[in-house]
Amino acid sequence: MDDSAVARSEPEYPQHWEADILLRDGGTARIRPITPADAGRLVEFYEQVSDQSKYFRFFAPYPRLSDKDVRRFTHHDFVNRVGLAVVVRDRFIATVRYDRIDHDGRPSETGTDAEVAFLVQDAHQGRGVASALLEHIAAVAQERGIRRFQAEVLPENRKMVKVFTDAGYVQRRSFADGVVHLEFDLEPTAASLAVMRAREHRAEARSVQRLLTPRSVAVIGASRRPQTVGRALLRDLLTGFAGDERPVHAVNRNAPPGTELDGLPVHRSILDVPGPVDLAVIAVPASAVPEAVAECGAHGVQGLVVVSAGYAETGPEGRDRQRALVRQARAAGMRVIGPNAFGLISTDPERPLNASLAPVLPARGGFGVFCQSGAIGVALLEAAHRRGLGISSFASVGNRADVSGNDFLQYWAEDPATDVVLLYLESFGNPRKFTRIARRLAQAKPVVVVKGARHTGSLPPGHAVPATATGLKDATVDALFQQAGVTRVETITELYDTGELLALQPLPPGDRVAVIGNSDSLGLLTHDACLSAGLRPRTPVDLTTAATGENFRIALDTALGDPGVDAVIAVAIPPIGTSAHDFMGGRLTGPDDPELGSDDPEIAAALLDAGERARAAGKPLLLAHLALTDLPGRLRPGGIPAYPAPERAVRALAHAVHYADWRHRMAAAEETARVPELDRIDEAGARALVEAALSTRAAVAARTQPGGARITLPDADAAALLARYGVDVSPTLPAPDEESAVRAAATLGYPVALKATAPHLRHRPDLGSVRLDLTGEPGLRRAHQELDALLGGAAGAELVVQRLAPRGVDTVIGATVDPAVGAILSFGLAGAPAELLGDVAHRLVPATDQDVASLVREVRAAPLLFGWRGAEAVDTDALEEVLLRVSRLVDDLPEVASVDLEPVVVAPHGLAILGARVRIAPLPVRSDLGPRAMSTL
């Protein structure tokens, strides 16, 4: 046989099985299939395994691998025999293998069982290597038609038994002949997904912790020129970090021997640095970065902050350099902040770190801050400093090629020093994962976000974002934030306004607000702002401009003790009688006055006393003031937020009210919310309809068209699919001519409607394309003639006859699968509210009974459903049931790309669905349900 024939007989390498993973200690590794080229690596790996581990693997002493063994363990067909390895710095640290077997345990090419076995180097045991391998080999096996793994383990091998038993799969266990026999199904379960995500959480949190708490740091690119980036980074690092126990090292390949910078010797290479280096900050040209990264990997560095620019923000070539940088770093076990990063800060008093371009380490405090832009990072740090707010940790990650906001959310969830998380986001790398992590975090700590590119939808150059997430609609982002409990604000000012209140004051138990102060006008402005924000303010209490601190104290005590008050806003202006020099710090008396502050110590003292009582009562207290520029400083030690405009105070309070309400609903939902069991669900029948539709010639042809393979089902097929989930669409019969219309009406029964269904006329009654209340044949014939003449022919207008629906409120129900986020359920009122005003509410699927109830009530036009102006309320129970059924449909059948029901006429008793459109597409890939793997953008 010639070489070309041999080459053709080699199984195709499954490239898509390769994946970067995070281990339990925060280090990185790569999982990939084992090939014949790995023979040397396998032998070297086996030599590093202890005799005990070899015994556990082979149940007998097995000091070395024979040539036959090496061939067996490196030659796979990637179907019936598969081997995977975990690789760090191009060396194996663990392997796993499965062999397909039949029911009798013999090798098979058709069986659905496989025998699986692991081997992990002793030095890497306890890092979660075997658990990660199990997830990946299970996914591979499922792809190849294997449904169950079997494993035999010695009882003494407790670590491996624990790997299997802790995985969360449905399993069976037996003991015979001194061996534990395990069998477990590979279908993911709620328990296995929970285990996987818990491990993901621990690994990602630990990887960020390693970056923030290095024992030693090196600056690669530290220059003798004071104004360079590398020199600035070195100076910043030396603030609070350097010492014998936490050394800082300067590295510059071009430095002459004996060079010192800021009292530190300069090394030509990080390989020359004595002792370990945990974190390297790289500030060299992009062309020199690969060599620096390689040397960092060889020296055992754990993480990189790459400040260097010249990557994806410069175009396709730069994007290739960025991907190569991440691959190179992960292969050596390192994580990357950046490239094009501003840097990383931790204010831990025992281990402070300023690996950034910020010249001063921020004050210690409870804010965890993340952003993607260096310029915004500067603004966030400056705003915190100006307000006197402290930060626990800060990251500005630039192109976000590796470490992302999701990683920091995982860390902050565990960090006791972080009370509130503040984010500036311009893009999402993994929106599904963000929603899941943020939802868990927000149940314990507030998450406040400014989302850039709200209206343009454009992405900053260089951001590592999958194609599916580049066109994320803002309404989708709103739904994502809302369901995850994330507070969305518009500006950086509002970010800190809201964050400060959430950090310093109790969450409000409700939306009832007392407004108390010494200015009637300022109180009225605050009252009006509360109403506009959806709060319920009481009539302001005006203490008059002559009010003393004691007057404030009495009024605040009264409000805080009132069970009908949930929050108190104090409003204050300088008392009447303030001298011209004192008022506004003398700014009205001339530019030469030295004082620029204004204050009222009595009011400050009263507020500070009230602040203690407010905390005891569990009610937030905040101040809106005018011209009292020094008063916020007096209140800061007491944790009372002060705002120089009532609108800012009210916006912050409204955000706190909504967040507290979400927390309350989430706590209640854990006990009461459910996805109800519904009758008339035929999932198998619906799936058969979808598979048949996707196998048609039209569907196959659609896959080659621009925009993908989505196809629209014919109306009859759409109605049949929906009926399998108990969603009944009112039947229609074609009426291309008068006689057909008369026969259709006789079949359906009068009264009927005659309407056009051509795409350009659908749902356009404003064009006169609908005739209602047709109670007999004469009226029907006359209506048909009118529409035929008006619309240019009955055939072109695609006229149909439909039984008349009961009168009610016209609504719209939709479900759309967003490739980045998943299925989204939508609801609104038909016509102008939804189309012109955008009055549509959204929820992520699967929706619970409480989700759909709040969805119906969230739209601004919802009062029309509940008896507005004396009208009879409609059947919202029936409406909510349809929403649940549509949610269940798109959740069960991911091939259903969209469902549109319009109009859904909701009557006082029951409803009628008069139109439906369903689009389907081949099964999308769900990356969030597979084994743990790092992004490879």
Side-chain angles (χ1 to χ4, degrees), residues 13-30:
Y13 180 78
Q15 182 76 37
H16 64 286
W17 291 351
E18 292 192 2
D20 294 323
I21 60 169
L22 266 178
L23 301 177
R24 182 179 299 155
D25 60 1
T28 64
R30 188 162 185 81

Side-chain angles (χ1 to χ4, degrees), residues 88-138:
V88 176
R89 298 187 181 93
D90 203 35
R91 294 182 175 180
F92 286 5
I93 66 169
T95 62
V96 65
R97 174 186 171 92
Y98 81 66
D99 292 270
R100 191 189 298 263
I101 57 176
D102 59 20
H103 291 300
D104 297 322
R106 294 180 300 228
S108 170
E109 294 185 358
T110 59
T112 58
D113 285 19
E115 188 174 23
V116 65
F118 296 78
L119 187 58
V120 180
Q121 274 186 2
D122 297 66
H124 296 279
Q125 292 177 12
R127 301 183 67 198
V129 177
S131 299
L133 268 178
L134 177 57
E135 292 175 17
H136 282 263
I137 196 70

Side-chain angles (χ1 to χ4, degrees), residues 570-585:
V571 297
I573 63 171
I576 294 298
T578 302
S579 70
H581 177 77
D582 291 335
F583 184 63
M584 294 186 68

Side-chain angles (χ1 to χ4, degrees), residues 690 692-704 708-711 920 922:
V690 169
L694 287 173
S695 65
T696 63
R697 186 173 300 176
V700 173
R703 300 183 189 188
T704 64
R710 292 190 175 191
I711 64 169
I920 61 174

